[in-house]
mmCIF file of all heavy atoms in Angstrom:
data_model
loop_
_atom_site.group_PDB
_atom_site.id
_atom_site.type_symbol
_atom_site.label_atom_id
_atom_site.label_comp_id
_atom_site.label_asym_id
_atom_site.label_seq_id
_atom_site.Cartn_x
_atom_site.Cartn_y
_atom_site.Cartn_z
ATOM 1 N N ASP A 17 -19.026 24.263 -4.974
ATOM 2 C CA ASP A 17 -17.930 23.306 -5.161
ATOM 3 C C ASP A 17 -17.201 23.205 -3.826
ATOM 4 O O ASP A 17 -16.629 24.192 -3.354
ATOM 5 C CB ASP A 17 -17.005 23.860 -6.259
ATOM 6 C CG ASP A 17 -15.796 22.979 -6.499
ATOM 7 O OD1 ASP A 17 -15.580 22.007 -5.734
ATOM 8 O OD2 ASP A 17 -15.060 23.270 -7.446
ATOM 9 N N ILE A 18 -17.224 22.031 -3.229
ATOM 10 C CA ILE A 18 -16.658 21.878 -1.884
ATOM 11 C C ILE A 18 -15.147 22.140 -1.856
ATOM 12 O O ILE A 18 -14.610 22.513 -0.812
ATOM 13 C CB ILE A 18 -17.023 20.478 -1.304
ATOM 14 C CG1 ILE A 18 -16.964 20.512 0.224
ATOM 15 C CG2 ILE A 18 -16.126 19.379 -1.872
ATOM 16 C CD1 ILE A 18 -17.657 19.354 0.894
ATOM 17 N N ALA A 29 -15.965 12.090 0.259
ATOM 18 C CA ALA A 29 -16.739 10.850 0.120
ATOM 19 C C ALA A 29 -15.827 9.835 -0.565
ATOM 20 O O ALA A 29 -15.813 9.708 -1.783
ATOM 21 C CB ALA A 29 -17.994 11.112 -0.725
ATOM 22 N N ASN A 31 -13.590 5.998 -1.026
ATOM 23 C CA ASN A 31 -13.798 4.556 -0.913
ATOM 24 C C ASN A 31 -12.830 4.036 0.150
ATOM 25 O O ASN A 31 -11.961 4.786 0.627
ATOM 26 C CB ASN A 31 -13.642 3.834 -2.260
ATOM 27 C CG ASN A 31 -12.288 4.079 -2.893
ATOM 28 O OD1 ASN A 31 -11.252 4.023 -2.218
ATOM 29 N ND2 ASN A 31 -12.267 4.382 -4.173
ATOM 30 N N GLY A 38 -12.899 9.031 -8.817
ATOM 31 C CA GLY A 38 -13.932 9.816 -9.514
ATOM 32 C C GLY A 38 -14.699 10.678 -8.541
ATOM 33 O O GLY A 38 -14.359 10.747 -7.351
ATOM 34 N N GLY A 39 -15.736 11.333 -9.024
ATOM 35 C CA GLY A 39 -16.622 12.132 -8.185
ATOM 36 C C GLY A 39 -15.903 13.216 -7.399
ATOM 37 O O GLY A 39 -14.908 13.789 -7.850
ATOM 38 N N VAL A 40 -16.422 13.458 -6.197
ATOM 39 C CA VAL A 40 -15.867 14.536 -5.381
ATOM 40 C C VAL A 40 -14.455 14.187 -4.907
ATOM 41 O O VAL A 40 -13.619 15.075 -4.709
ATOM 42 C CB VAL A 40 -16.840 14.878 -4.213
ATOM 43 C CG1 VAL A 40 -16.869 13.807 -3.154
ATOM 44 C CG2 VAL A 40 -16.506 16.227 -3.617
ATOM 45 N N ALA A 136 -22.641 15.301 -0.399
ATOM 46 C CA ALA A 136 -23.718 14.327 -0.175
ATOM 47 C C ALA A 136 -23.116 12.920 -0.310
ATOM 48 O O ALA A 136 -23.216 12.265 -1.354
ATOM 49 C CB ALA A 136 -24.838 14.542 -1.176
ATOM 50 N N SER A 138 -22.219 9.229 -0.569
ATOM 51 C CA SER A 138 -22.922 8.047 -1.097
ATOM 52 C C SER A 138 -24.062 8.352 -2.078
ATOM 53 O O SER A 138 -24.663 7.424 -2.605
ATOM 54 C CB SER A 138 -23.471 7.150 0.030
ATOM 55 O OG SER A 138 -22.416 6.469 0.655
ATOM 56 N N GLY A 140 -23.775 9.852 -4.972
ATOM 57 C CA GLY A 140 -23.290 9.942 -6.355
ATOM 58 C C GLY A 140 -23.039 8.554 -6.918
ATOM 59 O O GLY A 140 -23.975 7.764 -7.123
ATOM 60 N N ILE A 141 -21.766 8.233 -7.124
ATOM 61 C CA ILE A 141 -21.362 6.942 -7.708
ATOM 62 C C ILE A 141 -21.912 5.766 -6.871
ATOM 63 O O ILE A 141 -22.276 4.729 -7.425
ATOM 64 C CB ILE A 141 -19.822 6.892 -7.829
ATOM 65 C CG1 ILE A 141 -19.353 7.936 -8.865
ATOM 66 C CG2 ILE A 141 -19.326 5.493 -8.197
ATOM 67 C CD1 ILE A 141 -17.864 8.248 -8.854
ATOM 68 N N TYR A 142 -22.006 5.924 -5.571
ATOM 69 C CA TYR A 142 -22.483 4.839 -4.694
ATOM 70 C C TYR A 142 -24.009 4.651 -4.713
ATOM 71 O O TYR A 142 -24.527 3.710 -4.124
ATOM 72 C CB TYR A 142 -21.969 5.025 -3.263
ATOM 73 C CG TYR A 142 -20.546 4.522 -3.053
ATOM 74 C CD1 TYR A 142 -19.807 3.984 -4.106
ATOM 75 C CD2 TYR A 142 -19.937 4.557 -1.809
ATOM 76 C CE1 TYR A 142 -18.506 3.521 -3.926
ATOM 77 C CE2 TYR A 142 -18.643 4.082 -1.612
ATOM 78 C CZ TYR A 142 -17.923 3.569 -2.683
ATOM 79 O OH TYR A 142 -16.651 3.102 -2.490
ATOM 80 N N TYR A 175 -23.517 20.090 -5.163
ATOM 81 C CA TYR A 175 -22.897 20.534 -6.410
ATOM 82 C C TYR A 175 -23.926 21.050 -7.409
ATOM 83 O O TYR A 175 -23.717 22.079 -8.032
ATOM 84 C CB TYR A 175 -22.147 19.338 -6.992
ATOM 85 C CG TYR A 175 -21.012 19.703 -7.896
ATOM 86 C CD1 TYR A 175 -20.159 20.750 -7.578
ATOM 87 C CD2 TYR A 175 -20.766 18.974 -9.051
ATOM 88 C CE1 TYR A 175 -19.095 21.075 -8.392
ATOM 89 C CE2 TYR A 175 -19.698 19.293 -9.871
ATOM 90 C CZ TYR A 175 -18.873 20.345 -9.538
ATOM 91 O OH TYR A 175 -17.824 20.660 -10.339
HETATM 92 N N1 AR6 B 201 -18.325 19.651 -4.654
HETATM 93 C C1 AR6 B 201 -19.422 19.196 -3.991
HETATM 94 N N2 AR6 B 201 -20.062 18.057 -4.317
HETATM 95 C C2 AR6 B 201 -19.576 17.353 -5.364
HETATM 96 C C3 AR6 B 201 -18.439 17.752 -6.113
HETATM 97 C C4 AR6 B 201 -17.801 18.964 -5.715
HETATM 98 N N3 AR6 B 201 -16.725 19.421 -6.335
HETATM 99 N N4 AR6 B 201 -18.223 16.826 -7.099
HETATM 100 C C5 AR6 B 201 -19.191 15.890 -6.974
HETATM 101 N N5 AR6 B 201 -20.009 16.198 -5.947
HETATM 102 P P1 AR6 B 201 -19.518 10.834 -5.282
HETATM 103 P P2 AR6 B 201 -20.062 8.561 -3.490
HETATM 104 C C6 AR6 B 201 -21.190 15.483 -5.412
HETATM 105 O O1 AR6 B 201 -19.813 9.994 -6.459
HETATM 106 O O2 AR6 B 201 -21.421 8.391 -4.053
HETATM 107 C C7 AR6 B 201 -15.422 8.070 -5.838
HETATM 108 O O3 AR6 B 201 -14.865 7.479 -6.957
HETATM 109 C C8 AR6 B 201 -21.954 14.553 -6.321
HETATM 110 O O4 AR6 B 201 -22.836 15.291 -7.151
HETATM 111 O O5 AR6 B 201 -18.330 11.725 -5.324
HETATM 112 O O6 AR6 B 201 -19.903 8.508 -1.991
HETATM 113 C C9 AR6 B 201 -14.783 7.602 -4.548
HETATM 114 O O7 AR6 B 201 -13.402 7.382 -4.694
HETATM 115 C C10 AR6 B 201 -22.713 13.699 -5.308
HETATM 116 O O8 AR6 B 201 -23.922 14.350 -4.903
HETATM 117 O O9 AR6 B 201 -19.359 9.945 -3.915
HETATM 118 C C11 AR6 B 201 -15.569 6.345 -4.262
HETATM 119 O O10 AR6 B 201 -15.074 5.236 -4.984
HETATM 120 C C12 AR6 B 201 -21.789 13.672 -4.087
HETATM 121 O O11 AR6 B 201 -20.753 14.644 -4.365
HETATM 122 C C13 AR6 B 201 -16.965 6.667 -4.754
HETATM 123 O O12 AR6 B 201 -16.785 7.683 -5.736
HETATM 124 C C14 AR6 B 201 -21.134 12.339 -3.809
HETATM 125 O O13 AR6 B 201 -20.838 11.691 -5.033
HETATM 126 C C15 AR6 B 201 -17.839 7.230 -3.670
HETATM 127 O O14 AR6 B 201 -19.145 7.452 -4.149
#
Side-chain angles (χ1 to χ4, degrees):
D17 178 353
I18 203 164
N31 57 44
V40 72
S138 287
I141 293 166
Y142 278 2
Y175 205 41

